[in-house]
PDB file of all heavy atoms in Angstrom:
ATOM      1  N   PRO U 113      68.806  14.716 -60.916  1.00 86.00           N
ATOM      2  CA  PRO U 113      70.224  15.019 -60.871  1.00 86.00           C
ATOM      3  C   PRO U 113      70.450  16.484 -61.218  1.00 86.00           C
ATOM      4  O   PRO U 113      69.825  17.069 -62.087  1.00 86.00           O
ATOM      5  CB  PRO U 113      70.834  14.111 -61.924  1.00 86.00           C
ATOM      6  CG  PRO U 113      69.724  13.647 -62.771  1.00 86.00           C
ATOM      7  CD  PRO U 113      68.478  13.733 -61.997  1.00 86.00           C
ATOM      8  N   THR U 114      71.388  17.079 -60.461  1.00 88.00           N
ATOM      9  CA  THR U 114      71.722  18.498 -60.717  1.00 88.00           C
ATOM     10  C   THR U 114      73.238  18.601 -60.783  1.00 88.00           C
ATOM     11  O   THR U 114      73.950  17.617 -60.628  1.00 88.00           O
ATOM     12  CB  THR U 114      71.245  19.379 -59.555  1.00 88.00           C
ATOM     13  OG1 THR U 114      71.791  18.869 -58.338  1.00 88.00           O
ATOM     14  CG2 THR U 114      69.751  19.415 -59.475  1.00 88.00           C
ATOM     15  N   LEU U 115      73.689  19.831 -60.993  1.00 87.00           N
ATOM     16  CA  LEU U 115      75.123  20.067 -61.040  1.00 87.00           C
ATOM     17  C   LEU U 115      75.792  19.578 -59.761  1.00 87.00           C
ATOM     18  O   LEU U 115      76.937  19.101 -59.776  1.00 87.00           O
ATOM     19  CB  LEU U 115      75.408  21.576 -61.139  1.00 87.00           C
ATOM     20  CG  LEU U 115      75.416  22.190 -62.548  1.00 87.00           C
ATOM     21  CD1 LEU U 115      75.859  23.629 -62.422  1.00 87.00           C
ATOM     22  CD2 LEU U 115      76.368  21.432 -63.419  1.00 87.00           C
ATOM     23  N   ALA U 116      75.089  19.692 -58.674  1.00 88.00           N
ATOM     24  CA  ALA U 116      75.638  19.237 -57.389  1.00 88.00           C
ATOM     25  C   ALA U 116      76.050  17.763 -57.463  1.00 88.00           C
ATOM     26  O   ALA U 116      77.164  17.393 -57.097  1.00 88.00           O
ATOM     27  CB  ALA U 116      74.640  19.455 -56.288  1.00 88.00           C
ATOM     28  N   ASP U 117      75.127  16.920 -58.000  1.00 89.00           N
ATOM     29  CA  ASP U 117      75.437  15.506 -58.106  1.00 89.00           C
ATOM     30  C   ASP U 117      76.606  15.286 -59.038  1.00 89.00           C
ATOM     31  O   ASP U 117      77.530  14.523 -58.712  1.00 89.00           O
ATOM     32  CB  ASP U 117      74.233  14.729 -58.662  1.00 89.00           C
ATOM     33  CG  ASP U 117      73.034  14.845 -57.759  1.00 89.00           C
ATOM     34  OD1 ASP U 117      73.003  14.138 -56.735  1.00 89.00           O
ATOM     35  OD2 ASP U 117      72.151  15.673 -58.066  1.00 89.00           O
ATOM     36  N   LEU U 118      76.599  15.963 -60.188  1.00 87.00           N
ATOM     37  CA  LEU U 118      77.652  15.729 -61.165  1.00 87.00           C
ATOM     38  C   LEU U 118      79.026  16.079 -60.618  1.00 87.00           C
ATOM     39  O   LEU U 118      79.977  15.285 -60.708  1.00 87.00           O
ATOM     40  CB  LEU U 118      77.420  16.556 -62.427  1.00 87.00           C
ATOM     41  CG  LEU U 118      76.188  16.254 -63.246  1.00 87.00           C
ATOM     42  CD1 LEU U 118      76.246  17.025 -64.530  1.00 87.00           C
ATOM     43  CD2 LEU U 118      76.111  14.780 -63.531  1.00 87.00           C
ATOM     44  N   LEU U 119      79.091  17.287 -60.010  1.00 86.00           N
ATOM     45  CA  LEU U 119      80.410  17.725 -59.614  1.00 86.00           C
ATOM     46  C   LEU U 119      80.921  17.000 -58.396  1.00 86.00           C
ATOM     47  O   LEU U 119      82.116  16.714 -58.267  1.00 86.00           O
ATOM     48  CB  LEU U 119      80.388  19.235 -59.405  1.00 86.00           C
ATOM     49  CG  LEU U 119      80.220  19.914 -60.779  1.00 86.00           C
ATOM     50  CD1 LEU U 119      79.874  21.344 -60.619  1.00 86.00           C
ATOM     51  CD2 LEU U 119      81.503  19.752 -61.551  1.00 86.00           C
ATOM     52  N   LEU U 120      80.036  16.619 -57.514  1.00 86.00           N
ATOM     53  CA  LEU U 120      80.500  15.851 -56.375  1.00 86.00           C
ATOM     54  C   LEU U 120      80.937  14.453 -56.845  1.00 86.00           C
ATOM     55  O   LEU U 120      81.895  13.891 -56.305  1.00 86.00           O
ATOM     56  CB  LEU U 120      79.366  15.734 -55.327  1.00 86.00           C
ATOM     57  CG  LEU U 120      79.866  15.564 -53.917  1.00 86.00           C
ATOM     58  CD1 LEU U 120      80.734  16.720 -53.494  1.00 86.00           C
ATOM     59  CD2 LEU U 120      78.728  15.412 -52.957  1.00 86.00           C
ATOM     60  N   TYR U 121      80.247  13.938 -57.872  1.00 87.00           N
ATOM     61  CA  TYR U 121      80.645  12.640 -58.429  1.00 87.00           C
ATOM     62  C   TYR U 121      82.072  12.729 -58.977  1.00 87.00           C
ATOM     63  O   TYR U 121      82.893  11.878 -58.696  1.00 87.00           O
ATOM     64  CB  TYR U 121      79.640  12.247 -59.505  1.00 87.00           C
ATOM     65  CG  TYR U 121      80.163  11.211 -60.486  1.00 87.00           C
ATOM     66  CD1 TYR U 121      80.288   9.886 -60.133  1.00 87.00           C
ATOM     67  CD2 TYR U 121      80.515  11.564 -61.777  1.00 87.00           C
ATOM     68  CE1 TYR U 121      80.745   8.950 -61.025  1.00 87.00           C
ATOM     69  CE2 TYR U 121      81.000  10.645 -62.687  1.00 87.00           C
ATOM     70  CZ  TYR U 121      81.114   9.320 -62.300  1.00 87.00           C
ATOM     71  OH  TYR U 121      81.585   8.404 -63.203  1.00 87.00           O
ATOM     72  N   TYR U 122      82.364  13.773 -59.773  1.00 85.00           N
ATOM     73  CA  TYR U 122      83.695  13.912 -60.316  1.00 85.00           C
ATOM     74  C   TYR U 122      84.742  14.001 -59.211  1.00 85.00           C
ATOM     75  O   TYR U 122      85.809  13.424 -59.252  1.00 85.00           O
ATOM     76  CB  TYR U 122      83.850  15.155 -61.166  1.00 85.00           C
ATOM     77  CG  TYR U 122      83.004  15.165 -62.441  1.00 85.00           C
ATOM     78  CD1 TYR U 122      82.318  16.290 -62.834  1.00 85.00           C
ATOM     79  CD2 TYR U 122      82.895  14.019 -63.235  1.00 85.00           C
ATOM     80  CE1 TYR U 122      81.565  16.313 -63.968  1.00 85.00           C
ATOM     81  CE2 TYR U 122      82.125  14.028 -64.381  1.00 85.00           C
ATOM     82  CZ  TYR U 122      81.447  15.160 -64.747  1.00 85.00           C
ATOM     83  OH  TYR U 122      80.711  15.183 -65.863  1.00 85.00           O
ATOM     84  N   SER U 123      84.355  14.771 -58.179  1.00 83.00           N
ATOM     85  CA  SER U 123      85.295  14.995 -57.123  1.00 83.00           C
ATOM     86  C   SER U 123      85.588  13.731 -56.330  1.00 83.00           C
ATOM     87  O   SER U 123      86.725  13.460 -55.991  1.00 83.00           O
ATOM     88  CB  SER U 123      84.730  16.094 -56.208  1.00 83.00           C
ATOM     89  OG  SER U 123      85.548  16.249 -55.110  1.00 83.00           O
ATOM     90  N   LEU U 124      84.545  12.944 -56.056  1.00 84.00           N
ATOM     91  CA  LEU U 124      84.707  11.785 -55.222  1.00 84.00           C
ATOM     92  C   LEU U 124      85.166  10.550 -56.003  1.00 84.00           C
ATOM     93  O   LEU U 124      85.437   9.506 -55.401  1.00 84.00           O
ATOM     94  CB  LEU U 124      83.390  11.438 -54.507  1.00 84.00           C
ATOM     95  CG  LEU U 124      82.987  12.415 -53.434  1.00 84.00           C
ATOM     96  CD1 LEU U 124      81.633  11.988 -52.873  1.00 84.00           C
ATOM     97  CD2 LEU U 124      83.977  12.450 -52.310  1.00 84.00           C
TER      98      LEU U 124
END
Side-chain angles (χ1 to χ4, degrees):
Chain U
T114 55
L115 275 185
D117 299 281
L118 295 189
L119 290 167
L120 208 59
Y121 160 75
Y122 295 137
S123 174
L124 290 178

